[in-house]
Amino acid sequence: QVQLVESGGGLVQAGGSLRLSCAASGSTSSIIDIGWYRQAPGKQRELVVVISSGGSTNYADSVKGRFTISRDNAKNTVYLQMNSLKPEDTAVYSCYAEAGSRWYREHYWGQGTQVTVSS
């Protein structure tokens, strides 16, 4: 089992910055991929970025060049630095982790944190 707890959401003006944190606990050594999804009102949940255990990243085109994911393995924490925020970035941001082995995979979600960008 893996538990994920996000923090760092809030209200910011367009052009501003926020940093989200996702602290993982439990069977953290089994985490394969970890990252962020978001869901805006009336829209489907979408990938923001994930980072693999090997360090490779996959960003959504809409955030490339503005958002940066990083991980502190000693703290089992992943960070999402969000710069040049736009009103369309407003959403609930949820931490996500895929864990397991070559024989099974499990998916875990945090509770979500609200990010609101005002114009």
Side-chain angles (χ1 to χ4, degrees):
Q1 293 283 326
V2 174
Q3 295 79 42
L4 304 171
V5 178
E6 303 103 331
S7 60
L11 173 65
V12 65
Q13 288 188 331
S17 299
L18 280 175
R19 189 177 80 155
L20 305 182
S21 300
C22 173
S25 61
S27 301
T28 56
S29 61
S30 68
I31 292 176
I32 299 166
D33 291 335
I34 189 167
W36 299 88
Y37 281 71
R38 67 186 182 186
Q39 186 168 20
K43 295 187 177 181
Q44 288 190 330
R45 185 165 55 193
E46 63 176 3
L47 169 74
V48 177
V49 59
V50 291
I51 184 168
S52 72
S53 55
S56 60
T57 56
N58 180 25
Y59 287 91
D61 288 342
S62 59
V63 306
K64 283 180 180 177
R66 300 188 298 121
F67 291 12
T68 303
I69 191 170
S70 61
R71 62 193 301 175
D72 184 335
N73 291 328
K75 295 182 178 180
N76 290 318
T77 300
V78 172
Y79 303 98
L80 181 63
Q81 178 66 43
M82 304 185 293
N83 298 328
S84 302
L85 282 161
K86 305 175 182 179
E88 50 264 43
D89 294 317
T90 295
V92 175
Y93 284 70
S94 298
C95 187
Y96 160 83
E98 182 181 40
S101 68
R102 62 186 297 182
W103 296 282
Y104 77 98
R105 297 291 172 91
E106 294 179 322
H107 305 274
Y108 300 93
W109 295 91
Q111 81 283 1
T113 185
Q114 178 70 46
V115 171
T116 303
V117 185
S118 63
S119 57

